[in-house]
Amino acid sequence: MDGLMVPMEHVLVVAGLLFTCGLFGLMLRRNIIFMLMSLEVMLNSAALAFVTAGAHWAQADGQVMFMLILTVAAAEVAVGLGLVLQIQRRFKTLDMDRANRLRG
């Protein structure tokens, strides 16, 4: 099974690309649902990097960090979706720029 191993550098490049896609999605999209999805992509890319590093050095630290990231992501989804519901009820839109204009 050693021939099926993916080099660590390749996985870290994929994690970096995922993080960059999430960062651009967070900066460019103004819909709060897309912003939350971009944050999830960024968290998952960090988790992928931790798991890859842990597997490379045969340490359980990567998996422990993955569990921590999963916990943070679950809390972020719960709080974020609660905020989405409140913003939708109050401003009748999910566009953050419009919500800021309506608030002021």
Side-chain angles (χ1 to χ4, degrees):
M1 299 272 304
D2 288 333
L4 299 176
M5 295 288 294
V6 178
M8 180 179 170
E9 294 80 18
H10 294 171
V11 179
L12 290 179
V13 167
V14 169
L17 289 173
L18 282 173
F19 190 87
T20 304
C21 288
L23 185 63
F24 281 131
L26 188 66
M27 292 186 332
L28 298 178
R29 299 299 298 254
R30 300 311 304 163
N31 187 321
I32 194 163
I33 298 290
F34 286 107
M35 293 170 75
L36 288 172
M37 287 174 35
S38 297
L39 279 173
E40 286 294 322
V41 169
M42 291 170 66
L43 285 171
N44 286 330
S45 69
L48 177 63
F50 277 118
V51 169
T52 302
H56 179 72
W57 287 299
Q59 297 290 321
D61 297 345
Q63 285 80 7
V64 170
M65 289 302 295
F66 176 73
M67 295 302 291
L68 179 67
I69 290 171
L70 277 180
T71 306
V72 169
E76 180 249 335
V77 166
V79 171
L81 289 179
L83 288 173
V84 165
L85 290 174
Q86 290 299 320
I87 289 170
Q88 176 64 32
R89 284 184 190 153
R90 184 169 180 193
F91 298 115
K92 305 293 189 252
T93 184
L94 291 178
D95 184 20
M96 291 309 293
D97 288 334
R98 284 192 64 208
N100 281 335
R101 277 185 260 137
L102 290 173
R103 182 187 61 144

